[in-house]
């Protein structure tokens, strides 16, 4: 018995997608019309700016542009050209957007670039509207705040794999007789720090590979709902001159952790300035945030009562652990009754203020340090040295017992911020767009943020809180 195989053509694939889209959209548009009116969420400043130059008789309304671009994210339409095609073919989509005529691609681009500040403002206003909904769904999860950074790869020549591979190949050939040279690390150091055609495309190490991307930071609550988006561009750095700008090192992983920890404070500062009524109390973060400075501003400036941050192995010594007595003084690792000697207060540029303590059995003999301990716990001439910090207590006791069942359960929620980023990049098609324009990229990300807030509002109004992260189950 012979089996005949039929190769699926591109035409048939598109027809299937088209049929599926048309089958779902009428009911979905009816759902939105019943539970959501985009005009009630548009800030008056946005409305005034849009109609300022040409008046109210614009051929394409503001609500039309916003509805089309938001639905583009919800339906995972990857390009503006495909969105325009769907607008041309689907009358229900045109009617919902209020378009009597379909805009061309340059109009969508000019809308994003010309009204970016107002798109960002609309996102921030919608965050305020969705916060009470999140609190009503689950107050505990809504009171958590997670942070992560990522990047949108831009369409620049430096992102072509051939560029880096060619450099690595040349280095391998040149240093083939020198096994001590790592051509991969050297290639990373020789690549430019930013793309030639776009200064905002910085060299980053994302998801295990090098790329030139537009870097942004994102805050979500424990429900996975985005609370804040900040692009770490030149404007952000100018607004926060206190933020240290990291330099390239031999390790791309190290560069990434430095960037995350240094950007956390200014991002949180902007967030609480925009939303002074928000009061999250739990911050789960990865080990990159295990610094005394981080514990200090989380507790004192932003009033978090819990900080679920694992110890960073780089901050831990391989020597025996220092103990502490009831007064908080460090004690000898081998004899807890011996208090270490106070050696003064240290104030160094680029480091936190700290108090220095040295081994209780060392002393000076003829200008040299001598340790009388028969079993010294350190090979240093001065013996064992340790430091105490102002916020050390919060690091040791961060509001919840480390490695307890409650700690492990809550810490797993931190991964939800990475899922939110992946949802933006993959399901809302923010990544992979063939653009090198910084403004357009920012607009696409904030439009995805608006779409995520819309999802929360519609799902809650329909009494389906389990679908606050995606409307697609409601469409089905």
């Amino acid at each position: 018995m012979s089996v005949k195989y039929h190769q699926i053509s591109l035409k048939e694939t598109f027809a299937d997608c088209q049929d599926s889209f048309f089958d779902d959209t009428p009911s979905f548009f009816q759902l939105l019309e019943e539970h959501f009116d985009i005009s009630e969420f548009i800030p008056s400043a946005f409305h005034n700016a849009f109609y300022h130059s040409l008046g109210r008789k614009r051929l394409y309304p503001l609500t039309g542009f916003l509805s089309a671009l938001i639905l583009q994210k919800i339906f995972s339409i990857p390009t503006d050209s495909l969105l325009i095609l769907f607008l041309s073919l689907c009358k229900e989509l045109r009617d919902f957007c209020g378009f009597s005529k379909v805009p061309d691609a340059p109009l969508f681009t000019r809308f994003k670039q010309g009204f970016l500040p107002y798109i960002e403002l609309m996102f921030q206003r919608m965050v305020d509207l969705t916060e009470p909904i999140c609190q009503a769904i689950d107050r505990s999860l809504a009171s958590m705040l997670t942070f992560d950074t990522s990047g949108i790869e831009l369409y620049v020549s430096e992102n072509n794999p051939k560029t880096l591979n060619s450099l690595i190949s040349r280095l391998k050939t040149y240093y083939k007789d020198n096994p001590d040279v790592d051509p991969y690390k050297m290639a990373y150091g020789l690549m430019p720090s930013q793309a030639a055609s776009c200064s905002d495309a910085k060299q980053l190490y994302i998801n295990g590979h090098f790329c030139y991307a537009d870097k942004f930071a994102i805050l979500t609550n424990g429900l996975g709902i985005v609370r804040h988006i900040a692009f770490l561009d030149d404007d952000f750095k100018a607004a926060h001159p206190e933020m240290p700008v990291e330099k390239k090192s031999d390790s791309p992983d190290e560069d990434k952790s430095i960037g995350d920890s240094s950007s956390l404070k200014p991002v949180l500062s902007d967030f609480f300035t925009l939303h002074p009524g928000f009061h999250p109390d739990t911050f789960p973060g990865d080990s990159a945030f295990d610094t005394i400075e981080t514990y200090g501003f989380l507790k004192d400036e932003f009033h978090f009562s819990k900080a679920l941050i694992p110890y960073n192995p780089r901050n831990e010594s391989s020597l025996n652990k220092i103990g502490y007595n009831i007064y908080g003084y460090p004690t000898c690792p081998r004899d807890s009754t011996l208090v270490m000697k106070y050696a003064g207060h240290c104030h160094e540029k680029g480091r936190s203020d700290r108090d220095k303590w040295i081994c209780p059995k060392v002393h000076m003999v003829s200008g040299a340090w001598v340790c009388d301990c028969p079993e010294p716990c350190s090979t240093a001439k001065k013996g064992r040295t340790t430091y105490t910090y102002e916020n050390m207590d919060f690091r040791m006791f961060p509001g919840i017992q480390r490695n307890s069942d409650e700690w492990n359960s809550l810490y797993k929620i931190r991964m939800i911020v990475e899922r939110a980023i992946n949802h933006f990049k993959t399901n809302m098609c923010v990544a992979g767009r063939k653009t090198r324009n910084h403004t357009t990229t920012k607009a696409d990300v904030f439009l995805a943020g608006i779409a995520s807030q819309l999802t929360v509002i519609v799902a809650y109004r329909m009494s389906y809180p389990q679908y606050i992260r995606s409307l697609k189950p409601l469409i089905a």
Side-chain angles (χ1 to χ4, degrees):
M1 179 179 178
S2 61
V3 179
K4 294 183 179 180
Y5 294 95
H6 175 66
Q7 184 175 2
I8 299 176
S9 66
L10 179 61
K11 180 180 179 181
E12 292 172 329
T13 303
F14 175 76
D16 292 341
C17 294
Q18 180 182 350
D19 292 341
S20 176
F21 181 80
F22 290 162
D23 289 342
D24 290 339
T25 49
S27 59
F28 180 67
F29 296 146
Q30 183 180 0
L31 180 151
L32 285 184
E33 288 174 353
E34 293 175 359
H35 300 279
F36 188 85
D37 181 8
I38 190 67
S39 61
E40 67 178 293
F41 302 102
I42 300 176
S44 58
F46 196 172
H47 186 276
N48 295 337
F50 183 80
Y51 291 104
H52 176 71
S53 58
L54 298 180
R56 292 183 177 274
K57 294 184 178 180
R58 279 201 171 195
L59 181 60
Y60 308 106
L62 172 60
T63 55
F65 278 111
L66 288 172
S67 298
L69 291 171
I70 291 172
L71 290 176
Q72 179 186 21
K73 307 304 180 189
I74 292 175
F75 281 119
S76 303
I77 301 175
T79 63
D80 291 346
S81 58
L82 191 57
L83 172 64
I84 292 170
L85 180 59
F86 281 139
L87 283 167
S88 301
L89 296 176
C90 181
K91 182 179 183 301
E92 290 85 354
L93 179 57
R94 290 196 305 275
D95 292 343
F96 180 82
C97 295
F99 286 145
S100 58
K101 179 182 177 183
V102 179
D104 55 16
L107 283 177
F108 281 107
T109 301
R110 288 202 294 270
F111 176 81
K112 295 176 187 177
Q113 295 179 356
F115 299 102
L116 170 62
Y118 302 101
I119 294 173
E120 183 176 355
L121 175 63
M122 182 174 175
F123 165 73
Q124 294 164 357
R125 295 283 178 85
M126 293 187 72
V127 169
D128 287 328
L129 295 173
T130 55
E131 180 63 16
I133 297 177
C134 294
Q135 294 288 338
I137 293 174
D138 192 318
R139 182 174 296 274
S140 176
L141 292 178
S143 298
M144 297 180 68
L145 201 63
T146 61
F147 172 89
D148 201 3
T149 61
S150 188
I152 305 297
E153 294 187 44
L154 301 183
Y155 195 60
V156 295
S157 60
E158 287 83 357
N159 275 331
N160 189 332
K162 293 180 179 179
T163 303
L164 181 61
N165 292 337
S166 176
L167 178 58
I168 292 173
S169 179
R170 293 197 301 270
L171 291 172
K172 283 183 176 179
T173 302
Y174 188 81
Y175 291 102
K176 62 181 180 180
D177 297 328
N178 190 346
D180 296 331
V181 174
D182 187 340
Y184 295 94
K185 282 187 177 182
M186 184 174 289
Y188 165 74
L190 292 175
M191 289 290 286
S193 59
Q194 62 188 37
S197 58
C198 179
S199 60
D200 292 294
K202 309 295 185 182
Q203 187 189 41
L204 301 177
Y205 187 69
I206 299 175
N207 297 331
H209 73 286
F210 298 103
C211 65
Y212 286 79
D214 219 343
K215 189 173 184 179
F216 68 96
I218 189 170
L219 292 171
T220 73
N221 59 22
L223 293 166
I225 307 304
V226 178
R227 303 288 80 193
H228 186 68
I229 300 170
F231 274 79
L232 308 183
D233 51 15
D234 293 337
D235 292 338
F236 182 85
K237 295 174 184 176
H240 298 281
E242 75 283 359
M243 183 181 70
V245 179
E246 64 272 13
K247 297 181 180 180
K248 290 168 63 175
S249 68
D250 291 336
S251 171
D253 288 309
E254 181 71 10
D255 284 342
K256 184 178 186 300
S257 66
I258 293 173
D260 286 1
S261 60
S262 62
S263 60
L264 175 61
K265 183 177 180 179
V267 169
L268 287 176
S269 178
D270 289 347
F271 170 72
F272 285 108
T273 300
L274 291 170
H275 310 285
F278 287 25
H279 302 288
D281 60 10
T282 303
F283 177 84
D286 58 30
S287 60
F289 303 113
D290 182 33
T291 66
I292 292 298
E293 294 86 353
T294 300
Y295 289 102
F297 63 70
L298 285 178
K299 179 182 178 182
D300 300 331
E301 296 184 36
F302 304 123
H303 310 295
F304 285 93
S305 60
K306 299 176 183 178
L308 283 75
I309 303 174
Y311 286 138
N312 193 328
R314 291 195 299 269
N315 297 335
E316 299 298 303
S317 173
S318 60
L319 302 175
N320 294 336
K321 297 291 183 181
I322 296 288
Y324 296 89
N325 63 13
I326 59 175
Y327 303 106
Y329 300 152
T331 59
C332 174
R334 299 189 183 279
D335 186 354
S336 60
T337 63
L338 292 177
V339 177
M340 300 184 74
K341 294 180 180 179
Y342 178 71
H345 186 74
C346 299
H347 180 77
E348 303 174 51
K349 183 178 180 181
R351 304 193 68 170
S352 301
D353 288 359
R354 50 191 181 157
D355 292 324
K356 184 177 180 180
W357 304 79
I358 60 174
C359 176
K361 293 188 176 182
V362 298
H363 55 277
M364 295 286 294
V365 177
S366 301
W369 290 101
V370 175
C371 181
D372 295 334
C373 182
E375 295 180 328
C377 55
S378 173
T379 58
K381 293 182 179 180
K382 292 184 180 180
R384 185 69 179 272
T385 301
T386 191
Y387 299 89
T388 55
Y389 300 81
E390 181 181 355
N391 294 293
M392 231 173 89
D393 287 345
F394 193 48
R395 180 175 184 259
M396 297 172 64
F397 307 102
I400 184 173
Q401 181 61 47
R402 288 182 176 273
N403 299 322
S404 64
D405 291 340
E406 183 184 5
W407 170 287
N408 294 331
S409 177
L410 288 177
Y411 187 73
K412 291 178 181 178
I413 300 174
R414 192 200 71 82
M415 302 299 294
I416 204 161
V417 66
E418 299 181 4
R419 296 177 186 174
I421 291 174
N422 183 66
H423 181 60
F424 270 32
K425 287 185 171 183
T426 305
N427 299 333
M428 293 192 177
C429 302
V430 170
R433 299 175 63 83
K434 292 188 176 181
T435 179
R436 64 171 61 92
N437 187 277
H438 174 60
T439 304
T440 304
T441 302
K442 289 183 68 173
D444 279 321
V445 174
F446 280 109
L447 285 166
I450 292 173
S452 69
Q453 308 307 305
L454 181 153
T455 301
V456 175
I457 294 172
V458 172
Y460 186 73
R461 288 181 176 180
M462 292 187 63
S463 300
Y464 286 103
Q466 65 270 32
Y467 297 142
I468 59 175
R469 288 189 291 272
S470 177
L471 288 178
K472 289 183 178 179
L474 291 177
I475 300 173

